[in-house]
Amino acid sequence: MKSLLLRNIREKVSSSSAVKLKHSLAVIDPPSLIDGEPEPAIAPVDPLLVIFDDYIKSRQSTAPNTKILHAQLLKTRLLQTQVGIADSLMDCYCKCGATGYALNLFDTAPQWSVFSWNILISGFNKKSLFLESWKHFCRMHKLGFDADEITYGSVISACTALRASWNGMQVYSLALRKGFRANGYVRAGMIDLLAKNHRFDDALRVFHDVSCENVVCWNAIIAGAVRNGENQIALDLFRQLCRHGTFLPNSFTFPCVLTACAVLEDLETGKMVQGWIIKCGNYDVYVNTSLSDLYAKCKDMEGAMKIFTRMRFRSVVSWTAMISGFVQLDDYISAVLLFKEMRSLGEEINTFTITSLLSASGRRGLTKTATQFHALIIKCGFDLDPAVGASLFNMYCKVGAVDSSELILEEMERMRNPNNHAVMISLHAQANDAERAVELFVSMLREGVRPDKYCTSSLLSVVNALSLGRQVHSHVIKSGLVFDVSVASSLFTMYSKCDSLEESYEIFGQICEKDNVSWTSMIAGFAKNNLPDEAVRLFRNMLLEGNSPDQSTFVAILTAICSLNSVHKGNEVHAKVIRLGFGEEITVGGALVMMYSRCGYLKLARRLLDSLPLWDDVACSSMISGYAQNGYIEEALLMFHKMLKANFAVDSFSISSVVQAVTLTNRLDIGTQLQSYAMKVGLDSNVAVGSSLVAMYSKFGSINECVKAFDQIDAPDLIGWTTMIMSYARHGIGEEALKLFELMKRKKMRPDPVTFVGVLSACSHSGLVEEGYFHFDSMVKDYGIEPNYRHYACMVDLLGRSGRIKEAERFVSNMPIKPNALVWETLLAACKLHGDIELGKLAAKKITECEPSDAGVYISLSNIYADLGQWGEVMNIRSSMKGAKVKKEPGWSVV
């Protein structure tokens, strides 16, 4: 290449001599028309300057060729004598990326101009050496050179890239002082700087400071609005631009506006923008891609495909937008077919294409497809990308390939890529592996990597220990992330989950600008911690502060109202739902069905369910649960049957509700069918389904089936353990119940008051008095659970069954709370068993004081006298029942 350039130089020199000879002959031949007037002399053109001029115009500068020309210019001393040669040569060096040579040339130049400084600063910007741009601007300013609009615009761009908003504002102030207030290039750069530093209000002030006669400024402010999530403002600005009339939007304006329409899912405005695109004729690949993405985001894939098929040129972004659109519509087949077509045409793929496909492949039954995509990822070299690794992990989790998902985690950890830290913490959080997530977080801090808001929020989502949560909170305050809304929301959600609502609410109150996520999380926290009144109060405060609830907010508040069992408050929320246009939303409709069914308004709940445009599994499950809880067993079974016929994805909540309904009947055959179906769909290991099956078989007397159902549960929760303990207790297998209780404690499961009722019942049915006393004391001493009437009744029953009547009497007398009817009835039953008339009379008297109309008391005392043959006392009791107008309901049997 060097020899070729040198040969061209020699040829230019020789041909240039011939040209000069011809020119001289031409001048001699025709005589001068004006006598006495000398001919103007033609300055000779240096051939090297011709070559250099052609080289600059070619725009194909390379560092070696530029160095050759540089050497020739030095040799001929043209560089020192010709004005502007040094600047042009420096520009060539910058264009080919050789900024080091450009800087050396700049430092050896005999004189500098503002043009020289601009070339150097722009060259640094092109090579992303933004700090060098700033340093040389400071040097320029210190030496007294007056910058122009190009200089200020370039330096502000460098400050934008450096996220140095304060430096950029200083430069802009200097530009204003020098009279560049109305310059579009400078203002556009400042608007862009402020918008990218999340200071959109300041960017708007700069934009409105002077009447804008430059489309570049409009583009900058519209792009800034979209970047800061102010999509509605972006559309308003676009409408103002269209009304301006001085100039038209261009190919940079339309993609930003279409992105805002896509985020807002505003297809009507998008079609209006499309009309402007047709009017302006600005159809390029970026505009077309944004158009197809708009239609896809608005779920109009037919319109998106029309635009896509008419595109002359398609980029990887275009293909990916279409694939993502099909994925959002859950059209896995169309997404894969489009990807195959993309591959057959030889189009390149990127990480966004891969992650979109992986999210489509994450469903049960597609394990083979998932592994094929994984193989393609490895082949294309995307397996080292953290985002792709995270999508792979999620895909394998969704298809049920747990071993493969764990291998992905191990592989990502072996990469030791600092960028993987946040992704790995997020993945371990999704896998609910709090211990490993904390280890990675600590590792980040030790390696000097500063966790960002996403990483911190992911960690807080799995923290379930108050002490650890407070340590993370301290780090959040130290790092300044406490002012971020998402981190603050994660913080108070963590405290809420750790049953520290006071701290949770305190952090919530410290958030200056609460978004819908914050309000919804706090409302859900109150609802989860059995404080529905506080949830309702917070919802009202949210409305008073002018916030508009979204679907998630309505679901949270309706869940709280379910606990209140207040249909009046539910009606108020329902009215708000209709007023805000969420009446036909499936998730909100399902929550309303749940609320009305829990409150016992089943007809209203069913009418609301039938009015929904589509049924979903949540709404149907809520209806089934409502029917089951209110004793409408047949209706619950019919609704479940409809779900199966409609091919709904039956979840664990639906099956457990139906099983609970069957438990109220004597239809064990239906229960076994439900268990078979649960096994078929893989839900027999679910804790809710398993616990319901245990309770059902326990009620039907099949303790062996109880054990089998319990053993099938993957990870029993407290309800599951308690249900099995109660089943053992009900069947008199106390020792097994206590063994299971010990195993439960070894699994770090903390018992609650209901669990201890089961344990004490097991001791009672098996006559384990000492063990009963031990667990009764442990409940208070080890777990801080204050005994209630059911616990005292269990202890009285335990002592009574063991024949320790006097001890039972002393136990009742020493109770720290006044015994209620349940305790006295238990003591009365013990008196009947052992024939203790005097104590039985006392117990009966106490019961009648608590519940005067309880016929069972009279009957129990009558039976005691009858067993002892004291028939006169029996007749007296019968007479006293007539006097108190107490009637005994006649017994009956289905046998």
Side-chain angles (χ1 to χ4, degrees):
M1 185 68 182
K2 294 179 182 178
S3 60
L4 181 62
L5 185 64
L6 289 169
R7 188 165 68 248
N8 287 341
I9 291 172
R10 286 194 292 270
E11 288 175 358
K12 284 279 186 181
V13 171
S14 60
S15 61
S16 178
S17 302
V19 168
K20 281 197 288 184
L21 180 61
K22 289 178 183 177
H23 278 297
S24 61
L25 291 173
V27 170
I28 294 170
D29 191 22
S32 176
L33 298 176
I34 304 174
D35 294 334
E37 186 174 319
E39 284 288 332
I42 300 175
V45 179
D46 193 293
L48 190 58
L49 292 179
V50 176
I51 294 171
F52 186 56
D53 186 54
D54 291 344
Y55 182 69
I56 292 171
K57 291 177 180 177
S58 69
R59 297 184 180 181
Q60 295 180 353
S61 306
T62 63
N65 289 346
T66 307
K67 287 164 68 176
I68 292 171
L69 281 170
H70 188 179
Q72 292 294 325
L73 290 168
L74 284 170
K75 187 177 180 180
T76 58
R77 299 190 61 79
L78 288 172
L79 187 62
Q80 295 86 346
T81 58
Q82 293 287 335
V83 178
I85 291 288
D87 288 341
S88 298
L89 189 62
M90 189 165 60
D91 190 38
C92 289
Y93 274 127
C94 288
K95 285 178 179 176
C96 64
T99 50
Y101 290 106
L103 183 59
N104 291 336
L105 180 60
F106 179 82
D107 289 336
T108 57
Q111 58 183 5
W112 298 322
S113 66
V114 67
F115 185 66
S116 309
W117 288 100
N118 288 347
I119 290 171
L120 190 64
I121 291 171
S122 299
F124 283 131
N125 280 359
K126 287 174 184 175
K127 287 287 288 181
S128 299
L129 300 171
F130 303 110
L131 189 59
E132 291 298 320
S133 296
W134 171 253
K135 288 179 179 177
H136 281 79
F137 172 74
C138 294
R139 179 184 171 193
M140 174 187 180
H141 184 67
K142 188 175 181 180
L143 291 172
F145 282 90
D146 286 329
D148 60 10
E149 66 272 17
I150 304 298
T151 319
Y152 289 124
S154 299
V155 176
I156 290 173
S157 296
C159 293
T160 303
L162 291 169
R163 296 186 177 276
S165 58
W166 181 250
N167 296 35
M169 290 176 68
Q170 288 180 312
V171 175
Y172 185 63
S173 299
L174 186 61
L176 293 180
R177 201 167 67 194
K178 295 294 184 180
F180 292 104
R181 177 184 292 273
N183 184 270
Y185 181 53
V186 177
R187 288 178 65 215
M190 193 60 199
I191 291 167
D192 188 51
L193 178 141
L194 293 169
K196 285 182 177 176
N197 282 277
H198 308 292
R199 298 177 59 179
F200 182 68
D201 291 340
D202 292 332
L204 267 177
R205 276 192 284 273
V206 172
F207 175 75
H208 290 301
D209 191 29
V210 178
S211 178
C212 187
E213 301 296 333
N214 190 324
V215 73
V216 177
C217 291
W218 286 93
N219 290 345
I221 193 64
I222 291 171
V226 174
R227 185 178 293 109
N228 285 270
E230 301 288 353
N231 298 291
Q232 196 59 57
I233 294 178
L235 297 184
D236 292 339
L237 288 165
F238 176 74
R239 293 186 184 99
Q240 293 176 33
L241 170 61
C242 294
R243 289 194 297 267
H244 198 279
T246 307
F247 39 80
L248 295 175
N250 59 20
S251 55
F252 294 98
T253 319
F254 293 122
C256 292
V257 179
L258 290 169
T259 300
C261 294
V263 173
L264 295 171
E265 295 186 8
D266 186 353
L267 188 57
E268 290 303 314
T269 305
K271 287 179 179 178
M272 181 268 289
V273 177
Q274 188 177 7
W276 271 94
I277 293 168
I278 296 169
K279 178 181 177 180
C280 300
N282 281 317
Y283 274 108
D284 63 10
V285 65
Y286 302 107
V287 173
N288 280 323
T289 299
S290 299
L291 264 176
S292 60
D293 184 55
L294 164 69
Y295 278 93
K297 291 277 176 62
C298 294
K299 300 178 177 59
D300 184 359
M301 290 308 298
E302 184 179 352
M305 282 301 294
K306 282 181 182 178
I307 296 168
F308 181 74
T309 51
R310 291 172 186 167
M311 291 171 65
R312 292 178 60 191
F313 302 102
R314 299 169 188 165
S315 66
V316 62
V317 180
S318 313
W319 288 93
T320 303
M322 295 304 300
I323 291 170
S324 299
F326 283 121
V327 171
Q328 287 173 10
L329 288 176
D330 207 24
D331 189 352
Y332 158 76
I333 296 174
S334 297
V336 173
L337 288 175
L338 198 62
F339 178 72
K340 286 182 178 179
E341 182 185 350
M342 180 183 181
R343 293 283 292 165
S344 66
L345 293 173
E347 297 283 349
E348 65 170 332
I349 59 176
N350 60 18
T351 55
F352 299 104
T353 320
I354 293 295
T355 51
S356 296
L357 281 168
L358 292 176
S359 63
S361 306
R363 62 190 69 200
R364 290 191 177 274
L366 293 180
T367 306
K368 184 178 178 181
T369 306
T371 53
Q372 289 175 343
F373 278 130
H374 193 176
L376 176 65
I377 287 166
I378 295 172
K379 182 181 177 181
C380 297
F382 288 107
D383 54 317
L384 301 178
D385 188 275
V388 174
S391 298
L392 271 172
F393 174 83
N394 289 329
M395 177 191 67
Y396 278 124
C397 286
K398 289 175 182 176
V399 301
V402 179
D403 294 340
S404 298
S405 61
E406 289 178 353
L407 287 173
I408 294 293
L409 278 179
E410 292 174 6
E411 185 64 29
M412 291 185 72
E413 287 186 12
R414 279 199 295 270
M415 291 179 196
R416 295 292 180 185
N417 186 343
N419 296 328
N420 279 358
H421 280 98
V423 175
M424 291 302 302
I425 289 173
S426 176
L427 293 182
H428 282 295
Q430 291 176 41
N432 206 27
D433 187 353
E435 185 176 350
R436 187 69 188 122
V438 172
E439 286 179 8
L440 285 170
F441 190 81
V442 173
S443 176
M444 280 184 76
L445 298 177
R446 285 175 179 167
E447 293 176 19
V449 181
R450 182 182 176 183
D452 60 8
K453 59 182 181 181
Y454 304 107
C455 180
T456 308
S457 298
S458 297
L459 178 70
L460 287 168
S461 68
V462 291
V463 172
N464 52 13
L466 195 57
S467 58
L468 176 61
R470 284 173 176 156
Q471 291 179 51
V472 179
H473 187 182
S474 300
H475 172 76
V476 167
I477 295 171
K478 184 179 178 182
S479 61
L481 290 173
V482 71
F483 300 107
D484 182 82
V485 177
S486 62
V487 176
S489 298
S490 300
L491 263 175
F492 72 69
T493 303
M494 179 272 298
Y495 280 117
S496 173
K497 189 168 57 179
C498 294
D499 299 325
S500 181
L501 271 180
E502 186 176 346
E503 289 175 281
S504 176
Y505 190 63
E506 183 180 348
I507 294 171
F508 174 77
Q510 291 171 0
I511 301 176
C512 298
E513 296 181 5
K514 303 177 181 69
D515 58 5
N516 270 13
V517 176
S518 307
W519 287 101
T520 302
S521 299
M522 197 67 239
I523 290 168
F526 280 130
K528 183 181 176 183
N529 286 273
N530 296 320
L531 292 170
D533 290 313
E534 291 297 320
V536 171
R537 182 186 61 79
L538 199 64
F539 179 73
R540 285 176 177 160
N541 289 343
M542 177 184 179
L543 298 178
L544 288 173
E545 291 190 18
N547 294 279
S548 182
D550 57 14
Q551 296 183 44
S552 302
T553 317
F554 280 122
V555 171
I557 190 60
L558 287 168
T559 303
I561 291 172
C562 286
S563 302
L564 281 174
N565 201 22
S566 171
V567 74
H568 175 69
K569 289 184 173 64
N571 286 335
E572 291 178 354
V573 175
H574 191 177
K576 191 72 176 177
V577 166
I578 295 171
R579 205 158 47 239
L580 293 178
F582 291 108
E584 294 188 354
E585 293 294 337
I586 306 300
T587 53
V588 179
L592 283 166
V593 170
M594 177 179 66
M595 182 272 296
Y596 282 121
S597 61
R598 291 273 182 90
C599 293
Y601 287 76
L602 296 177
K603 289 184 179 179
L604 184 56
R606 183 56 188 267
R607 192 160 64 243
L608 184 61
L609 177 65
D610 292 337
S611 68
L612 291 175
L614 288 173
W615 284 11
D616 71 340
D617 51 344
V618 176
C620 292
S621 298
S622 299
M623 200 71 240
I624 291 170
S625 176
Y627 280 137
Q629 290 175 4
N630 288 277
Y632 294 93
I633 311 304
E634 186 175 348
E635 286 81 356
L637 294 173
L638 285 173
M639 177 60 72
F640 183 73
H641 184 63
K642 282 185 178 182
M643 285 186 71
L644 296 180
K645 285 184 69 176
N647 292 322
F648 279 125
V650 179
D651 60 2
S652 58
F653 182 65
S654 305
I655 296 178
S656 61
S657 297
V658 179
V659 171
Q660 290 169 22
V662 171
T663 306
L664 301 175
T665 70
N666 290 321
R667 298 293 303 274
L668 181 59
D669 56 331
I670 298 178
T672 54
Q673 290 178 43
L674 287 167
Q675 184 180 21
S676 300
Y677 179 79
M679 292 173 67
K680 180 181 177 182
V681 296
L683 288 174
D684 57 320
S685 59
N686 180 273
V687 64
V689 175
S691 300
S692 300
L693 288 170
V694 170
M696 180 191 73
Y697 282 121
S698 175
K699 191 247 184 183
F700 290 141
S702 304
I703 189 62
N704 292 331
E705 295 298 327
C706 285
V707 176
K708 289 179 183 177
F710 180 77
D711 290 340
Q712 288 295 320
I713 302 173
D714 283 339
D717 61 359
L718 182 60
I719 295 174
W721 288 100
T722 301
T723 304
M724 193 63 227
I725 290 170
M726 297 282 267
S727 299
Y728 277 133
R730 188 177 292 115
H731 288 81
I733 314 174
E735 291 183 358
E736 290 298 325
L738 296 182
K739 286 180 182 178
L740 193 66
F741 180 63
E742 292 301 322
L743 178 61
M744 170 187 159
K745 291 194 291 186
R746 285 200 296 272
K747 296 283 185 180
K748 307 297 183 183
M749 193 71 66
R750 183 182 177 86
D752 67 356
V754 181
T755 312
F756 275 105
V757 169
V759 171
L760 295 174
S761 297
C763 295
S764 174
H765 285 80
S766 301
L768 304 172
V769 178
E770 300 306 322
E771 288 83 351
Y773 271 118
F774 171 79
H775 290 297
F776 186 82
D777 294 337
S778 173
M779 178 174 64
V780 180
K781 185 169 57 178
D782 298 333
Y783 300 100
I785 299 173
E786 290 297 324
N788 58 35
Y789 288 116
R790 294 185 66 189
H791 299 113
Y792 287 114
C794 287
M795 287 301 297
V796 172
D797 187 53
L798 169 62
L799 296 169
R801 285 174 184 266
S802 303
R804 303 184 182 185
I805 301 297
K806 296 301 180 184
E807 190 174 342
E809 181 186 7
R810 286 196 300 273
F811 183 85
V812 173
S813 301
N814 293 327
M815 281 175 57
I817 56 177
K818 184 180 179 181
N820 68 347
L822 175 63
V823 176
W824 289 114
E825 284 171 0
T826 307
L827 184 59
L828 178 60
C831 293
K832 177 188 173 184
L833 179 65
H834 297 284
D836 192 327
I837 297 176
E838 295 304 321
L839 186 55
K841 284 181 180 180
L842 174 63
K845 181 183 178 182
K846 294 293 185 182
I847 296 170
T848 53
E849 289 175 0
C850 298
E851 296 180 3
S853 60
D854 187 356
V857 181
Y858 296 95
I859 301 302
S860 297
L861 191 58
S862 172
N863 290 337
I864 294 175
Y865 283 120
D867 290 340
L868 296 173
Q870 299 182 16
W871 298 106
E873 294 295 334
V874 171
M875 295 305 296
N876 291 335
I877 292 174
R878 296 286 182 177
S879 300
S880 61
M881 285 180 67
K882 289 180 182 179
K885 296 182 179 181
V886 176
K887 294 181 65 176
K888 177 185 178 297
E889 293 293 331
W892 59 279
S893 174
V894 295
V895 180

